[in-house]
């Protein structure tokens, strides 16, 4: 799966990431215990479904990830990625519907319903404003 990098470059305008599906829903053929099974694959799913599954409950769908990066001693580090995921056959009402999976520095930390994902987005924006205020303190003016 690909990861879209969101960079810290400024051009004076607010940006929005286009996270709308890039293809229509389709049928995916998966292998479960040696048997081919077809499952509905949502339009946002870019997961290849190439591995052999032990059970239908193991089948999941995942979109490409978006990534928030930060400068590091090695250049740029991904500090937070997010993608749409679902486990439609796992029998868990929380994960059978699409949710946003947050992965902080390589460890998925949350599975968020759309409302909670919007709250997390608002918190991320607020964090960005707080970071700008910190820069303002050390640079002698508001940023």
């Amino acid at each position: 799966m690909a990861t879209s990098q969101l960079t810290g470059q400024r051009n004076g305008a607010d940006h929005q990431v286009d996270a709308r599906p890039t293809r229509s829903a389709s049928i995916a053929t998966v292998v479960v215990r040696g048997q081919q099974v077809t499952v509905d694959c949502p339009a946002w799913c870019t997961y290849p479904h190439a591995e052999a599954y032990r059970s239908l409950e193991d089948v999941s769908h995942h979109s490409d990830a978006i990534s928030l990066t930060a400068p590091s001693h090695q250049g740029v580090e991904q500090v937070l990625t997010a993608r749409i995921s679902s486990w439609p056959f796992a029998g868990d009402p929380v994960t059978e519907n699409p949710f946003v999976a947050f992965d902080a520095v390589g460890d998925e930390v949350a599975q968020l319903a759309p409302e909670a994902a919007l709250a997390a987005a608002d918190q991320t924006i607020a964090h960005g404003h707080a970071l700008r205020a910190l820069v303002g303190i050390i640079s002698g003016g508001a940023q």
Side-chain angles (χ1 to χ4, degrees), residues 17 49 55-56 118 121 141:
V17 176
H49 300 291
S55 69
L56 192 58
L118 287 174

Side-chain angles (χ1 to χ4, degrees), residues 73-87:
H73 296 293
Q74 290 81 33
V76 176
E77 291 281 332
Q78 290 183 2
V79 295
L80 178 66
T81 62
R83 70 173 39 100
I84 302 169
S85 295
S86 72
W87 299 78

Side-chain angles (χ1 to χ4, degrees), residues 47-120:
Y47 194 68
H49 300 291
E51 75 271 17
Y53 297 96
R54 291 188 318 195
S55 69
L56 192 58
E57 290 82 9
D58 295 331
V59 175
S60 59
H61 299 290
H62 307 279
S63 71
D64 287 345
I66 59 169
S67 151
L68 176 65
T69 60
S72 76
H73 296 293
Q74 290 81 33
V76 176
E77 291 281 332
Q78 290 183 2
V79 295
L80 178 66
T81 62
R83 70 173 39 100
I84 302 169
S85 295
S86 72
W87 299 78
F89 309 108
D92 181 350
V94 174
T95 61
E96 72 183 18
N97 293 311
F99 60 87
V100 176
F102 277 101
D103 185 345
V105 193
D107 295 318
E108 186 176 303
V109 297
Q111 299 170 340
L112 304 176
E115 300 81 19
L118 287 174

Side-chain angles (χ1 to χ4, degrees), residues 1 4 18-19 21-22 24 29 36 42 52 74 86 108 110 116-117 120 130 133 135:
M1 278 183 285
S4 300
D18 185 358
T22 57
S24 58
T29 301
Q36 288 190 342
Q74 290 81 33
S86 72
E108 186 176 303
V135 172

Side-chain angles (χ1 to χ4, degrees), residues 10 127-137 141-143:
R10 295 176 57 198
H127 181 77
H129 289 296
L131 181 59
R132 291 176 65 86
L134 287 176
V135 172
I137 290 170
Q143 296 296 313

